[in-house]
Amino acid sequence: MEIDEIVKKLLIRYPLFGNVIANLKFKFTNENVPASAFTDGKNIFYKQEFIDDYSDAEKEFIIAHEIFHIVLKHIFRNLGKDSDLLNYVEDAIINQMLVRDGLTMPEGLVNVEDALDYSVEELYMRFLPRLDEIKEWMGVNTYHIDLSNLDDLFAEMFGDDVQEMMSQNAGLRDDLLNDFKDELKYFA
């Protein structure tokens, strides 16, 4: 099955994500990374292994998995947390969502059957004691986009005024927190 056909099937299955899916670019890559498909938040890259090694149903699962990372804005959640562990628990939740939706998960992906019983934060804390083991597994099986240029990515996705907007939002948040602290004094 070709990428265009997979995208059409996913648009039918997930019409609410249509705007996201329609604005993605799907790119073949020869990068030497362990993942057969990965995303940078605006593109989904796939390698020859993706084409050769997976059934049509598994290809649909893999592309849906990458789309879910984008829809759920996972690329922006990595701040302040271990990126491998966070990606692991995000993968666990996404994979169980897709299995629940009837898609066919390829062998060897993160498979935590009760993942949907937890939030990302709860699952993160649950697997924190296994951090070293998970980091090793993720290093062999996945690929993380370099987030060192996150400000540039924000600017590219949201325009040049993003820094101004983020600064204003930080100011509003600080004002709200100070007001809340002042109100708590009356209850102390």
Side-chain angles (χ1 to χ4, degrees), residues 46-72:
Y46 59 96
K47 295 174 35 178
Q48 190 65 44
E49 293 87 346
F50 171 80
I51 296 167
D52 295 340
D53 296 348
Y54 296 101
S55 70
D56 289 348
E58 291 170 331
K59 289 177 188 174
E60 185 178 351
F61 185 99
I62 291 167
I63 296 299
H65 175 98
E66 298 305 329
I67 290 169
F68 268 62
H69 274 303
I70 296 166
V71 167
L72 298 173

PDB file of all heavy atoms in Angstrom, residues 46-72:
ATOM      1  N   TYR A  46       9.606   8.323   6.454  1.00  0.00           N
ATOM      2  CA  TYR A  46       9.576   6.867   6.451  1.00  0.00           C
ATOM      3  C   TYR A  46      10.761   6.353   5.651  1.00  0.00           C
ATOM      4  O   TYR A  46      11.235   6.981   4.722  1.00  0.00           O
ATOM      5  CB  TYR A  46       8.247   6.325   5.911  1.00  0.00           C
ATOM      6  CG  TYR A  46       7.920   6.764   4.508  1.00  0.00           C
ATOM      7  CD1 TYR A  46       8.220   5.955   3.421  1.00  0.00           C
ATOM      8  CD2 TYR A  46       7.307   7.992   4.265  1.00  0.00           C
ATOM      9  CE1 TYR A  46       7.927   6.359   2.126  1.00  0.00           C
ATOM     10  CE2 TYR A  46       7.011   8.405   2.971  1.00  0.00           C
ATOM     11  CZ  TYR A  46       7.319   7.590   1.911  1.00  0.00           C
ATOM     12  OH  TYR A  46       7.033   7.990   0.633  1.00  0.00           O
ATOM     13  N   LYS A  47      11.251   5.194   6.076  1.00  0.00           N
ATOM     14  CA  LYS A  47      12.448   4.605   5.478  1.00  0.00           C
ATOM     15  C   LYS A  47      12.086   3.382   4.640  1.00  0.00           C
ATOM     16  O   LYS A  47      10.949   2.923   4.644  1.00  0.00           O
ATOM     17  CB  LYS A  47      13.415   4.196   6.595  1.00  0.00           C
ATOM     18  CG  LYS A  47      13.954   5.370   7.394  1.00  0.00           C
ATOM     19  CD  LYS A  47      14.793   4.977   8.584  1.00  0.00           C
ATOM     20  CE  LYS A  47      15.631   3.761   8.402  1.00  0.00           C
ATOM     21  NZ  LYS A  47      16.455   3.417   9.535  1.00  0.00           N
ATOM     22  N   GLN A  48      13.066   2.842   3.976  1.00  0.00           N
ATOM     23  CA  GLN A  48      12.877   1.665   3.143  1.00  0.00           C
ATOM     24  C   GLN A  48      12.339   0.494   3.959  1.00  0.00           C
ATOM     25  O   GLN A  48      11.507  -0.273   3.483  1.00  0.00           O
ATOM     26  CB  GLN A  48      14.193   1.278   2.453  1.00  0.00           C
ATOM     27  CG  GLN A  48      14.038   0.209   1.394  1.00  0.00           C
ATOM     28  CD  GLN A  48      13.196   0.670   0.205  1.00  0.00           C
ATOM     29  OE1 GLN A  48      13.355   1.772  -0.288  1.00  0.00           O
ATOM     30  NE2 GLN A  48      12.296  -0.180  -0.251  1.00  0.00           N
ATOM     31  N   GLU A  49      12.777   0.353   5.212  1.00  0.00           N
ATOM     32  CA  GLU A  49      12.296  -0.729   6.080  1.00  0.00           C
ATOM     33  C   GLU A  49      10.786  -0.655   6.257  1.00  0.00           C
ATOM     34  O   GLU A  49      10.106  -1.672   6.365  1.00  0.00           O
ATOM     35  CB  GLU A  49      12.974  -0.681   7.454  1.00  0.00           C
ATOM     36  CG  GLU A  49      14.436  -0.977   7.436  1.00  0.00           C
ATOM     37  CD  GLU A  49      15.319   0.245   7.170  1.00  0.00           C
ATOM     38  OE1 GLU A  49      14.810   1.295   6.729  1.00  0.00           O
ATOM     39  OE2 GLU A  49      16.522   0.139   7.397  1.00  0.00           O
ATOM     40  N   PHE A  50      10.255   0.563   6.324  1.00  0.00           N
ATOM     41  CA  PHE A  50       8.811   0.750   6.448  1.00  0.00           C
ATOM     42  C   PHE A  50       8.106   0.132   5.239  1.00  0.00           C
ATOM     43  O   PHE A  50       7.106  -0.562   5.362  1.00  0.00           O
ATOM     44  CB  PHE A  50       8.484   2.238   6.561  1.00  0.00           C
ATOM     45  CG  PHE A  50       7.019   2.561   6.469  1.00  0.00           C
ATOM     46  CD1 PHE A  50       6.194   2.406   7.574  1.00  0.00           C
ATOM     47  CD2 PHE A  50       6.464   3.019   5.290  1.00  0.00           C
ATOM     48  CE1 PHE A  50       4.842   2.704   7.492  1.00  0.00           C
ATOM     49  CE2 PHE A  50       5.122   3.325   5.193  1.00  0.00           C
ATOM     50  CZ  PHE A  50       4.308   3.165   6.300  1.00  0.00           C
ATOM     51  N   ILE A  51       8.646   0.375   4.062  1.00  0.00           N
ATOM     52  CA  ILE A  51       8.049  -0.131   2.823  1.00  0.00           C
ATOM     53  C   ILE A  51       8.202  -1.642   2.719  1.00  0.00           C
ATOM     54  O   ILE A  51       7.269  -2.355   2.346  1.00  0.00           O
ATOM     55  CB  ILE A  51       8.687   0.564   1.602  1.00  0.00           C
ATOM     56  CG1 ILE A  51       8.373   2.067   1.642  1.00  0.00           C
ATOM     57  CG2 ILE A  51       8.223  -0.061   0.297  1.00  0.00           C
ATOM     58  CD1 ILE A  51       9.191   2.895   0.681  1.00  0.00           C
ATOM     59  N   ASP A  52       9.383  -2.152   3.073  1.00  0.00           N
ATOM     60  CA  ASP A  52       9.705  -3.565   2.859  1.00  0.00           C
ATOM     61  C   ASP A  52       9.228  -4.505   3.960  1.00  0.00           C
ATOM     62  O   ASP A  52       8.871  -5.648   3.683  1.00  0.00           O
ATOM     63  CB  ASP A  52      11.221  -3.740   2.719  1.00  0.00           C
ATOM     64  CG  ASP A  52      11.784  -3.055   1.481  1.00  0.00           C
ATOM     65  OD1 ASP A  52      11.008  -2.772   0.547  1.00  0.00           O
ATOM     66  OD2 ASP A  52      13.005  -2.799   1.465  1.00  0.00           O
ATOM     67  N   ASP A  53       9.268  -4.055   5.208  1.00  0.00           N
ATOM     68  CA  ASP A  53       9.132  -4.975   6.337  1.00  0.00           C
ATOM     69  C   ASP A  53       7.736  -5.088   6.947  1.00  0.00           C
ATOM     70  O   ASP A  53       7.523  -5.925   7.820  1.00  0.00           O
ATOM     71  CB  ASP A  53      10.101  -4.573   7.451  1.00  0.00           C
ATOM     72  CG  ASP A  53      11.558  -4.703   7.027  1.00  0.00           C
ATOM     73  OD1 ASP A  53      11.825  -5.314   5.979  1.00  0.00           O
ATOM     74  OD2 ASP A  53      12.433  -4.173   7.739  1.00  0.00           O
ATOM     75  N   TYR A  54       6.791  -4.261   6.529  1.00  0.00           N
ATOM     76  CA  TYR A  54       5.496  -4.246   7.201  1.00  0.00           C
ATOM     77  C   TYR A  54       4.352  -4.541   6.233  1.00  0.00           C
ATOM     78  O   TYR A  54       4.391  -4.167   5.069  1.00  0.00           O
ATOM     79  CB  TYR A  54       5.251  -2.890   7.883  1.00  0.00           C
ATOM     80  CG  TYR A  54       6.240  -2.626   8.984  1.00  0.00           C
ATOM     81  CD1 TYR A  54       7.337  -1.786   8.775  1.00  0.00           C
ATOM     82  CD2 TYR A  54       6.109  -3.232  10.221  1.00  0.00           C
ATOM     83  CE1 TYR A  54       8.258  -1.557   9.781  1.00  0.00           C
ATOM     84  CE2 TYR A  54       7.030  -3.016  11.228  1.00  0.00           C
ATOM     85  CZ  TYR A  54       8.104  -2.179  11.004  1.00  0.00           C
ATOM     86  OH  TYR A  54       9.008  -1.957  11.995  1.00  0.00           O
ATOM     87  N   SER A  55       3.321  -5.194   6.779  1.00  0.00           N
ATOM     88  CA  SER A  55       2.109  -5.438   5.994  1.00  0.00           C
ATOM     89  C   SER A  55       1.365  -4.113   5.820  1.00  0.00           C
ATOM     90  O   SER A  55       1.662  -3.120   6.503  1.00  0.00           O
ATOM     91  CB  SER A  55       1.210  -6.438   6.729  1.00  0.00           C
ATOM     92  OG  SER A  55       0.653  -5.826   7.890  1.00  0.00           O
ATOM     93  N   ASP A  56       0.382  -4.092   4.954  1.00  0.00           N
ATOM     94  CA  ASP A  56      -0.399  -2.876   4.739  1.00  0.00           C
ATOM     95  C   ASP A  56      -1.078  -2.419   6.027  1.00  0.00           C
ATOM     96  O   ASP A  56      -1.099  -1.229   6.343  1.00  0.00           O
ATOM     97  CB  ASP A  56      -1.450  -3.097   3.641  1.00  0.00           C
ATOM     98  CG  ASP A  56      -0.832  -3.206   2.255  1.00  0.00           C
ATOM     99  OD1 ASP A  56       0.374  -2.882   2.097  1.00  0.00           O
ATOM    100  OD2 ASP A  56      -1.556  -3.615   1.323  1.00  0.00           O
ATOM    101  N   ALA A  57      -1.624  -3.356   6.786  1.00  0.00           N
ATOM    102  CA  ALA A  57      -2.295  -3.017   8.043  1.00  0.00           C
ATOM    103  C   ALA A  57      -1.305  -2.439   9.048  1.00  0.00           C
ATOM    104  O   ALA A  57      -1.624  -1.493   9.785  1.00  0.00           O
ATOM    105  CB  ALA A  57      -2.985  -4.252   8.617  1.00  0.00           C
ATOM    106  N   GLU A  58      -0.103  -2.987   9.103  1.00  0.00           N
ATOM    107  CA  GLU A  58       0.921  -2.470  10.015  1.00  0.00           C
ATOM    108  C   GLU A  58       1.403  -1.090   9.579  1.00  0.00           C
ATOM    109  O   GLU A  58       1.669  -0.225  10.417  1.00  0.00           O
ATOM    110  CB  GLU A  58       2.098  -3.447  10.094  1.00  0.00           C
ATOM    111  CG  GLU A  58       1.742  -4.747  10.793  1.00  0.00           C
ATOM    112  CD  GLU A  58       2.830  -5.799  10.668  1.00  0.00           C
ATOM    113  OE1 GLU A  58       3.575  -5.804   9.661  1.00  0.00           O
ATOM    114  OE2 GLU A  58       2.934  -6.641  11.581  1.00  0.00           O
ATOM    115  N   LYS A  59       1.497  -0.858   8.274  1.00  0.00           N
ATOM    116  CA  LYS A  59       1.875   0.471   7.771  1.00  0.00           C
ATOM    117  C   LYS A  59       0.844   1.513   8.203  1.00  0.00           C
ATOM    118  O   LYS A  59       1.201   2.624   8.612  1.00  0.00           O
ATOM    119  CB  LYS A  59       1.997   0.460   6.244  1.00  0.00           C
ATOM    120  CG  LYS A  59       3.194  -0.296   5.727  1.00  0.00           C
ATOM    121  CD  LYS A  59       3.181  -0.321   4.207  1.00  0.00           C
ATOM    122  CE  LYS A  59       4.254  -1.241   3.671  1.00  0.00           C
ATOM    123  NZ  LYS A  59       4.187  -1.401   2.220  1.00  0.00           N
ATOM    124  N   GLU A  60      -0.415   1.160   8.117  1.00  0.00           N
ATOM    125  CA  GLU A  60      -1.475   2.073   8.550  1.00  0.00           C
ATOM    126  C   GLU A  60      -1.315   2.403  10.038  1.00  0.00           C
ATOM    127  O   GLU A  60      -1.446   3.550  10.452  1.00  0.00           O
ATOM    128  CB  GLU A  60      -2.846   1.451   8.279  1.00  0.00           C
ATOM    129  CG  GLU A  60      -3.997   2.368   8.576  1.00  0.00           C
ATOM    130  CD  GLU A  60      -5.350   1.747   8.259  1.00  0.00           C
ATOM    131  OE1 GLU A  60      -5.415   0.656   7.655  1.00  0.00           O
ATOM    132  OE2 GLU A  60      -6.359   2.371   8.636  1.00  0.00           O
ATOM    133  N   PHE A  61      -1.017   1.385  10.829  1.00  0.00           N
ATOM    134  CA  PHE A  61      -0.804   1.588  12.270  1.00  0.00           C
ATOM    135  C   PHE A  61       0.361   2.548  12.501  1.00  0.00           C
ATOM    136  O   PHE A  61       0.253   3.489  13.296  1.00  0.00           O
ATOM    137  CB  PHE A  61      -0.511   0.238  12.945  1.00  0.00           C
ATOM    138  CG  PHE A  61      -0.387   0.324  14.447  1.00  0.00           C
ATOM    139  CD1 PHE A  61      -1.455  -0.024  15.253  1.00  0.00           C
ATOM    140  CD2 PHE A  61       0.793   0.743  15.048  1.00  0.00           C
ATOM    141  CE1 PHE A  61      -1.346   0.040  16.634  1.00  0.00           C
ATOM    142  CE2 PHE A  61       0.914   0.821  16.422  1.00  0.00           C
ATOM    143  CZ  PHE A  61      -0.164   0.468  17.230  1.00  0.00           C
ATOM    144  N   ILE A  62       1.474   2.332  11.825  1.00  0.00           N
ATOM    145  CA  ILE A  62       2.680   3.137  12.040  1.00  0.00           C
ATOM    146  C   ILE A  62       2.435   4.596  11.664  1.00  0.00           C
ATOM    147  O   ILE A  62       2.808   5.511  12.410  1.00  0.00           O
ATOM    148  CB  ILE A  62       3.874   2.547  11.259  1.00  0.00           C
ATOM    149  CG1 ILE A  62       4.279   1.203  11.877  1.00  0.00           C
ATOM    150  CG2 ILE A  62       5.051   3.513  11.230  1.00  0.00           C
ATOM    151  CD1 ILE A  62       5.236   0.382  11.032  1.00  0.00           C
ATOM    152  N   ILE A  63       1.794   4.838  10.536  1.00  0.00           N
ATOM    153  CA  ILE A  63       1.517   6.217  10.128  1.00  0.00           C
ATOM    154  C   ILE A  63       0.514   6.860  11.090  1.00  0.00           C
ATOM    155  O   ILE A  63       0.681   8.017  11.500  1.00  0.00           O
ATOM    156  CB  ILE A  63       1.031   6.285   8.668  1.00  0.00           C
ATOM    157  CG1 ILE A  63       2.134   5.819   7.711  1.00  0.00           C
ATOM    158  CG2 ILE A  63       0.556   7.689   8.313  1.00  0.00           C
ATOM    159  CD1 ILE A  63       3.414   6.652   7.736  1.00  0.00           C
ATOM    160  N   ALA A  64      -0.512   6.116  11.495  1.00  0.00           N
ATOM    161  CA  ALA A  64      -1.468   6.634  12.478  1.00  0.00           C
ATOM    162  C   ALA A  64      -0.758   6.973  13.781  1.00  0.00           C
ATOM    163  O   ALA A  64      -1.042   8.008  14.405  1.00  0.00           O
ATOM    164  CB  ALA A  64      -2.581   5.614  12.718  1.00  0.00           C
ATOM    165  N   HIS A  65       0.178   6.139  14.193  1.00  0.00           N
ATOM    166  CA  HIS A  65       0.948   6.371  15.417  1.00  0.00           C
ATOM    167  C   HIS A  65       1.672   7.722  15.339  1.00  0.00           C
ATOM    168  O   HIS A  65       1.620   8.526  16.273  1.00  0.00           O
ATOM    169  CB  HIS A  65       1.945   5.222  15.607  1.00  0.00           C
ATOM    170  CG  HIS A  65       2.881   5.409  16.755  1.00  0.00           C
ATOM    171  ND1 HIS A  65       2.670   4.823  17.972  1.00  0.00           N
ATOM    172  CD2 HIS A  65       4.024   6.123  16.867  1.00  0.00           C
ATOM    173  CE1 HIS A  65       3.651   5.169  18.802  1.00  0.00           C
ATOM    174  NE2 HIS A  65       4.488   5.957  18.141  1.00  0.00           N
ATOM    175  N   GLU A  66       2.341   7.983  14.227  1.00  0.00           N
ATOM    176  CA  GLU A  66       3.066   9.247  14.069  1.00  0.00           C
ATOM    177  C   GLU A  66       2.105  10.431  14.032  1.00  0.00           C
ATOM    178  O   GLU A  66       2.385  11.484  14.594  1.00  0.00           O
ATOM    179  CB  GLU A  66       3.948   9.211  12.826  1.00  0.00           C
ATOM    180  CG  GLU A  66       5.039   8.149  12.853  1.00  0.00           C
ATOM    181  CD  GLU A  66       5.969   8.222  14.063  1.00  0.00           C
ATOM    182  OE1 GLU A  66       6.215   9.341  14.584  1.00  0.00           O
ATOM    183  OE2 GLU A  66       6.449   7.169  14.503  1.00  0.00           O
ATOM    184  N   ILE A  67       0.955  10.252  13.393  1.00  0.00           N
ATOM    185  CA  ILE A  67      -0.057  11.321  13.360  1.00  0.00           C
ATOM    186  C   ILE A  67      -0.549  11.628  14.768  1.00  0.00           C
ATOM    187  O   ILE A  67      -0.715  12.790  15.137  1.00  0.00           O
ATOM    188  CB  ILE A  67      -1.217  10.933  12.416  1.00  0.00           C
ATOM    189  CG1 ILE A  67      -0.738  10.967  10.959  1.00  0.00           C
ATOM    190  CG2 ILE A  67      -2.421  11.848  12.626  1.00  0.00           C
ATOM    191  CD1 ILE A  67      -1.711  10.359   9.958  1.00  0.00           C
ATOM    192  N   PHE A  68      -0.762  10.591  15.565  1.00  0.00           N
ATOM    193  CA  PHE A  68      -1.215  10.807  16.943  1.00  0.00           C
ATOM    194  C   PHE A  68      -0.181  11.587  17.754  1.00  0.00           C
ATOM    195  O   PHE A  68      -0.546  12.423  18.578  1.00  0.00           O
ATOM    196  CB  PHE A  68      -1.542   9.470  17.625  1.00  0.00           C
ATOM    197  CG  PHE A  68      -2.980   9.065  17.494  1.00  0.00           C
ATOM    198  CD1 PHE A  68      -3.537   8.821  16.246  1.00  0.00           C
ATOM    199  CD2 PHE A  68      -3.782   8.911  18.607  1.00  0.00           C
ATOM    200  CE1 PHE A  68      -4.850   8.443  16.108  1.00  0.00           C
ATOM    201  CE2 PHE A  68      -5.104   8.525  18.492  1.00  0.00           C
ATOM    202  CZ  PHE A  68      -5.657   8.290  17.233  1.00  0.00           C
ATOM    203  N   HIS A  69       1.103  11.336  17.541  1.00  0.00           N
ATOM    204  CA  HIS A  69       2.127  12.136  18.226  1.00  0.00           C
ATOM    205  C   HIS A  69       1.938  13.617  17.902  1.00  0.00           C
ATOM    206  O   HIS A  69       2.086  14.478  18.772  1.00  0.00           O
ATOM    207  CB  HIS A  69       3.536  11.705  17.805  1.00  0.00           C
ATOM    208  CG  HIS A  69       4.104  10.572  18.594  1.00  0.00           C
ATOM    209  ND1 HIS A  69       4.254  10.598  19.961  1.00  0.00           N
ATOM    210  CD2 HIS A  69       4.576   9.367  18.188  1.00  0.00           C
ATOM    211  CE1 HIS A  69       4.793   9.467  20.375  1.00  0.00           C
ATOM    212  NE2 HIS A  69       4.997   8.693  19.322  1.00  0.00           N
ATOM    213  N   ILE A  70       1.609  13.914  16.648  1.00  0.00           N
ATOM    214  CA  ILE A  70       1.427  15.306  16.225  1.00  0.00           C
ATOM    215  C   ILE A  70       0.130  15.875  16.794  1.00  0.00           C
ATOM    216  O   ILE A  70       0.127  16.964  17.385  1.00  0.00           O
ATOM    217  CB  ILE A  70       1.452  15.408  14.684  1.00  0.00           C
ATOM    218  CG1 ILE A  70       2.829  14.997  14.161  1.00  0.00           C
ATOM    219  CG2 ILE A  70       1.087  16.817  14.227  1.00  0.00           C
ATOM    220  CD1 ILE A  70       2.892  14.722  12.677  1.00  0.00           C
ATOM    221  N   VAL A  71      -0.961  15.147  16.652  1.00  0.00           N
ATOM    222  CA  VAL A  71      -2.263  15.615  17.127  1.00  0.00           C
ATOM    223  C   VAL A  71      -2.232  15.871  18.631  1.00  0.00           C
ATOM    224  O   VAL A  71      -2.772  16.862  19.118  1.00  0.00           O
ATOM    225  CB  VAL A  71      -3.367  14.588  16.773  1.00  0.00           C
ATOM    226  CG1 VAL A  71      -4.660  14.885  17.510  1.00  0.00           C
ATOM    227  CG2 VAL A  71      -3.603  14.569  15.266  1.00  0.00           C
ATOM    228  N   LEU A  72      -1.557  14.998  19.365  1.00  0.00           N
ATOM    229  CA  LEU A  72      -1.481  15.130  20.826  1.00  0.00           C
ATOM    230  C   LEU A  72      -0.349  16.061  21.280  1.00  0.00           C
ATOM    231  O   LEU A  72      -0.113  16.196  22.474  1.00  0.00           O
ATOM    232  CB  LEU A  72      -1.325  13.740  21.456  1.00  0.00           C
ATOM    233  CG  LEU A  72      -2.509  12.802  21.193  1.00  0.00           C
ATOM    234  CD1 LEU A  72      -2.202  11.397  21.692  1.00  0.00           C
ATOM    235  CD2 LEU A  72      -3.787  13.341  21.814  1.00  0.00           C
TER     236      LEU A  72
END
